[in-house]
Amino acid sequence: MQIFEKIKDLQAFLAKESAKGSSIGFVPTMGALHEGHISLVKEAKKESELVVSSVFVNPTQFNDKKDLERYPRTLEQDTKMLAEAGCDILFAPSVEEMYPQTDTRKFDFGFLDNTLDGAFRPGHFNGVAQIVSKLFEAVKPDKAFFGQKDFQQVLIVKELVRQLDLKIEIVPCPILREPDGLAMSSRNTLLSPEERKQASNIPVWMKEAKQLFNGKNAEEVKKVIIEKVNSTPLFKLDYFEIRNADNLQEYNAPTDKHAVALFAAFCGRIRLIDNEVLS
Ligand code: PAF
């Protein structure tokens, strides 16, 4: 695996590979890698000749400074995992390399950015769009692979690609889960043993929502699950919503085809998200 820290070195290398006709699959990450990320690399390998992954903790997408400070950084271990998974190129730039000056761009994603995580983490998706557009410009991939755990992020990135008219296919990949069902996340390592124990309730609630949902009873299902979350110690709920999976608008039966349940809560100090496609 080749490692690059500078955009111009990465671009010089990739330009030669593209000229040979190699298709490029890209897996952007913020590091602290787990099996979920590795599954993205494996999918990228199946669908592309050259796989590039980036490890960069992007400061502009953190609306909470403390969250940025405590975000796990494990580059040595990440490098080993990517190499073992067969990743061809690791791009691990510094903050100065990605932001030589402040990025003042403001993207407009409308409702997609005003709801759910967009509402609870103001500026988060603008920061995601800033870094993803810079990474896309540096890597120029044919396909980019994103985990469905960040359901809203996938929709935002698709909209970004549409607005910038990029010829990049966004490939959403399924959520990977721990043996007890908790969605894999770099943040899971920050949970205390007690928080980790309580966090295993999340996949139980998501499954229950799926079982209860019959296409018409979104409000009732929400009520049941919200009550359970609110009566579980250590949890502070941001939202549990059932939405139209295509655009995140309120789910309207029977016209809307796909429903998704979306969850975000603090478990102790750590904010966790999950989702489950219901229909
Ligand atoms: O999903 C993530 O890890 C990040 O939001 C991403 C896409 C790498 C941008 O920093």
Side-chain angles (χ1 to χ4, degrees), residues 134-173:
K134 279 172 180 274
L135 290 168
F136 281 175
E137 176 59 28
V139 178
K140 298 192 171 52
D142 298 284
K143 295 186 181 188
F145 299 77
F146 289 83
Q148 284 274 30
K149 182 172 76 69
D150 298 295
F151 196 92
Q152 192 170 5
Q153 173 171 276
V154 173
L155 293 178
I156 291 271
V157 172
K158 281 185 177 169
E159 177 58 18
L160 174 75
V161 164
R162 195 193 65 76
Q163 287 185 11
L164 299 180
D165 199 18
L166 302 174
K167 303 284 166 284
I168 301 172
E169 185 188 335
I170 302 305
V171 185
C173 299

Side-chain angles (χ1 to χ4, degrees), residues 200-218:
S200 66
N201 282 298
I202 302 171
V204 177
W205 295 325
M206 302 309 285
K207 276 223 174 73
E208 193 172 343
K210 190 168 182 149
Q211 276 161 6
L212 292 175
F213 184 68
N214 64 16
K216 297 184 291 249
N217 58 352

Side-chain angles (χ1 to χ4, degrees), residues 177-192:
R177 295 183 179 275
E178 302 288 353
D180 67 355
L182 181 65
M184 287 188 183
S185 163
S186 307
R187 292 173 196 271
N188 292 353
T189 57
L190 301 173
L191 296 165
S192 71

Side-chain angles (χ1 to χ4, degrees), residues 36-61:
H37 296 110
I38 297 306
S39 74
L40 302 182
V41 172
K42 288 187 179 150
E43 193 53 40
K45 271 189 86 66
K46 274 195 233 154
E47 298 192 30
S48 356
E49 275 137 3
L50 204 70
V51 176
V52 181
S53 186
S54 59
V55 170
F56 179 68
V57 182
N58 173 37
T60 71
Q61 70 187 76

